[in-house]
Amino acid sequence: VKDTVRQSTHERYGYAIEPHIKPALGRIKLKDLTPAQVRWFYRERLDSGLAPATVHKLHVVLHKALKAAVSDGLIPRNAAADLKLPRIIREEIDPLNQNEARRLLEAADGDRLEALYILALNTGMRQGELLALRWDDVDFERGVLRVHHTLSRTDNAYVLSEPKTKKSRRTIRL
């Protein structure tokens, strides 16, 4: 899938495969892999301390690989399909209150990144979006800022790319 996904996604797939999927399931022939073995793999990962969200990510990679194997005619069925995954309990984001935001700005006073902190607090932009900003993304006359890029880190470099979704490409009033 290297040419069909972002580099950072490809690297994340490698993280799922090398230390997790390959050691646990790599000795089983694809045609012999059963849903019960995949379920065991997920349970074993949870019991080892991985978070349910991480197990979901492992499932995405395994499911996608097995789906490709089915499409290529290597196996008749996807052993990871239709499995019930552990529930993910998402914690609510606890944004800074007015007093905390004021204290942050007081602490940042004179810091070379002060403007970045102010922009982050007032727009809610993500770190990668803030770090990818360029002067041509700002329209001072209309008082808007356009999010056209994001900066992400790969194994050996920082990469400037387009935001992942249409909703992420947006115009923010300043």
PDB file of all heavy atoms in Angstrom, residues 100-112:
ATOM      1  N   GLU A 100      -6.625  29.775  32.939  1.00  0.00           N
ATOM      2  CA  GLU A 100      -5.464  28.997  32.496  1.00  0.00           C
ATOM      3  C   GLU A 100      -4.887  29.578  31.199  1.00  0.00           C
ATOM      4  O   GLU A 100      -3.664  29.649  31.034  1.00  0.00           O
ATOM      5  CB  GLU A 100      -5.862  27.539  32.301  1.00  0.00           C
ATOM      6  CG  GLU A 100      -6.204  26.815  33.588  1.00  0.00           C
ATOM      7  CD  GLU A 100      -6.879  25.476  33.366  1.00  0.00           C
ATOM      8  OE1 GLU A 100      -7.578  25.301  32.334  1.00  0.00           O
ATOM      9  OE2 GLU A 100      -6.707  24.594  34.231  1.00  0.00           O
ATOM     10  N   ALA A 101      -5.771  29.980  30.287  1.00  0.00           N
ATOM     11  CA  ALA A 101      -5.310  30.566  29.025  1.00  0.00           C
ATOM     12  C   ALA A 101      -4.548  31.865  29.293  1.00  0.00           C
ATOM     13  O   ALA A 101      -3.499  32.115  28.686  1.00  0.00           O
ATOM     14  CB  ALA A 101      -6.498  30.810  28.102  1.00  0.00           C
ATOM     15  N   ARG A 102      -5.062  32.679  30.195  1.00  0.00           N
ATOM     16  CA  ARG A 102      -4.395  33.936  30.547  1.00  0.00           C
ATOM     17  C   ARG A 102      -3.007  33.656  31.142  1.00  0.00           C
ATOM     18  O   ARG A 102      -2.024  34.308  30.793  1.00  0.00           O
ATOM     19  CB  ARG A 102      -5.262  34.754  31.513  1.00  0.00           C
ATOM     20  CG  ARG A 102      -4.728  36.169  31.742  1.00  0.00           C
ATOM     21  CD  ARG A 102      -5.575  37.015  32.678  1.00  0.00           C
ATOM     22  NE  ARG A 102      -5.495  36.512  34.053  1.00  0.00           N
ATOM     23  CZ  ARG A 102      -6.445  35.810  34.666  1.00  0.00           C
ATOM     24  NH1 ARG A 102      -7.570  35.525  34.041  1.00  0.00           N
ATOM     25  NH2 ARG A 102      -6.290  35.379  35.908  1.00  0.00           N
ATOM     26  N   ARG A 103      -2.929  32.678  32.035  1.00  0.00           N
ATOM     27  CA  ARG A 103      -1.637  32.332  32.652  1.00  0.00           C
ATOM     28  C   ARG A 103      -0.639  31.823  31.600  1.00  0.00           C
ATOM     29  O   ARG A 103       0.553  32.131  31.668  1.00  0.00           O
ATOM     30  CB  ARG A 103      -1.840  31.294  33.753  1.00  0.00           C
ATOM     31  CG  ARG A 103      -2.464  31.911  34.995  1.00  0.00           C
ATOM     32  CD  ARG A 103      -2.397  31.076  36.272  1.00  0.00           C
ATOM     33  NE  ARG A 103      -1.997  29.697  36.155  1.00  0.00           N
ATOM     34  CZ  ARG A 103      -2.772  28.643  36.425  1.00  0.00           C
ATOM     35  NH1 ARG A 103      -4.018  28.810  36.823  1.00  0.00           N
ATOM     36  NH2 ARG A 103      -2.304  27.425  36.317  1.00  0.00           N
ATOM     37  N   LEU A 104      -1.138  31.049  30.634  1.00  0.00           N
ATOM     38  CA  LEU A 104      -0.269  30.566  29.561  1.00  0.00           C
ATOM     39  C   LEU A 104       0.288  31.744  28.765  1.00  0.00           C
ATOM     40  O   LEU A 104       1.493  31.801  28.497  1.00  0.00           O
ATOM     41  CB  LEU A 104      -1.027  29.607  28.629  1.00  0.00           C
ATOM     42  CG  LEU A 104      -0.282  29.188  27.367  1.00  0.00           C
ATOM     43  CD1 LEU A 104       0.966  28.373  27.710  1.00  0.00           C
ATOM     44  CD2 LEU A 104      -1.186  28.403  26.438  1.00  0.00           C
ATOM     45  N   LEU A 105      -0.572  32.675  28.407  1.00  0.00           N
ATOM     46  CA  LEU A 105      -0.121  33.831  27.636  1.00  0.00           C
ATOM     47  C   LEU A 105       0.826  34.718  28.431  1.00  0.00           C
ATOM     48  O   LEU A 105       1.772  35.279  27.871  1.00  0.00           O
ATOM     49  CB  LEU A 105      -1.318  34.627  27.123  1.00  0.00           C
ATOM     50  CG  LEU A 105      -2.171  33.898  26.073  1.00  0.00           C
ATOM     51  CD1 LEU A 105      -3.366  34.735  25.677  1.00  0.00           C
ATOM     52  CD2 LEU A 105      -1.333  33.524  24.862  1.00  0.00           C
ATOM     53  N   GLU A 106       0.595  34.830  29.732  1.00  0.00           N
ATOM     54  CA  GLU A 106       1.521  35.598  30.575  1.00  0.00           C
ATOM     55  C   GLU A 106       2.897  34.921  30.602  1.00  0.00           C
ATOM     56  O   GLU A 106       3.930  35.576  30.525  1.00  0.00           O
ATOM     57  CB  GLU A 106       0.967  35.725  31.994  1.00  0.00           C
ATOM     58  CG  GLU A 106      -0.189  36.696  32.118  1.00  0.00           C
ATOM     59  CD  GLU A 106      -0.881  36.630  33.476  1.00  0.00           C
ATOM     60  OE1 GLU A 106      -0.455  35.838  34.360  1.00  0.00           O
ATOM     61  OE2 GLU A 106      -1.869  37.365  33.671  1.00  0.00           O
ATOM     62  N   ALA A 107       2.898  33.610  30.694  1.00  0.00           N
ATOM     63  CA  ALA A 107       4.162  32.858  30.718  1.00  0.00           C
ATOM     64  C   ALA A 107       4.877  32.944  29.370  1.00  0.00           C
ATOM     65  O   ALA A 107       6.109  32.903  29.308  1.00  0.00           O
ATOM     66  CB  ALA A 107       3.909  31.403  31.090  1.00  0.00           C
ATOM     67  N   ALA A 108       4.104  33.058  28.289  1.00  0.00           N
ATOM     68  CA  ALA A 108       4.684  33.099  26.941  1.00  0.00           C
ATOM     69  C   ALA A 108       5.100  34.502  26.522  1.00  0.00           C
ATOM     70  O   ALA A 108       5.714  34.667  25.467  1.00  0.00           O
ATOM     71  CB  ALA A 108       3.678  32.534  25.936  1.00  0.00           C
ATOM     72  N   ASP A 109       4.775  35.505  27.337  1.00  0.00           N
ATOM     73  CA  ASP A 109       5.065  36.892  26.992  1.00  0.00           C
ATOM     74  C   ASP A 109       6.544  37.052  26.655  1.00  0.00           C
ATOM     75  O   ASP A 109       7.419  36.747  27.463  1.00  0.00           O
ATOM     76  CB  ASP A 109       4.674  37.815  28.156  1.00  0.00           C
ATOM     77  CG  ASP A 109       4.772  39.282  27.778  1.00  0.00           C
ATOM     78  OD1 ASP A 109       4.602  39.600  26.591  1.00  0.00           O
ATOM     79  OD2 ASP A 109       5.028  40.104  28.687  1.00  0.00           O
ATOM     80  N   GLY A 110       6.823  37.509  25.431  1.00  0.00           N
ATOM     81  CA  GLY A 110       8.193  37.715  24.992  1.00  0.00           C
ATOM     82  C   GLY A 110       8.842  36.484  24.394  1.00  0.00           C
ATOM     83  O   GLY A 110       9.917  36.571  23.788  1.00  0.00           O
ATOM     84  N   ASP A 111       8.216  35.319  24.514  1.00  0.00           N
ATOM     85  CA  ASP A 111       8.748  34.085  23.922  1.00  0.00           C
ATOM     86  C   ASP A 111       8.689  34.190  22.400  1.00  0.00           C
ATOM     87  O   ASP A 111       7.787  34.804  21.849  1.00  0.00           O
ATOM     88  CB  ASP A 111       7.913  32.882  24.404  1.00  0.00           C
ATOM     89  CG  ASP A 111       8.499  31.562  23.962  1.00  0.00           C
ATOM     90  OD1 ASP A 111       8.278  31.185  22.788  1.00  0.00           O
ATOM     91  OD2 ASP A 111       9.169  30.896  24.775  1.00  0.00           O
ATOM     92  N   ARG A 112       9.651  33.615  21.720  1.00  0.00           N
ATOM     93  CA  ARG A 112       9.681  33.701  20.256  1.00  0.00           C
ATOM     94  C   ARG A 112       8.467  33.029  19.609  1.00  0.00           C
ATOM     95  O   ARG A 112       8.128  33.308  18.474  1.00  0.00           O
ATOM     96  CB  ARG A 112      10.981  33.137  19.698  1.00  0.00           C
ATOM     97  CG  ARG A 112      11.154  31.650  19.860  1.00  0.00           C
ATOM     98  CD  ARG A 112      12.527  31.186  19.364  1.00  0.00           C
ATOM     99  NE  ARG A 112      12.641  29.749  19.418  1.00  0.00           N
ATOM    100  CZ  ARG A 112      12.271  28.934  18.449  1.00  0.00           C
ATOM    101  NH1 ARG A 112      11.787  29.405  17.327  1.00  0.00           N
ATOM    102  NH2 ARG A 112      12.408  27.617  18.584  1.00  0.00           N
TER     103      ARG A 112
END
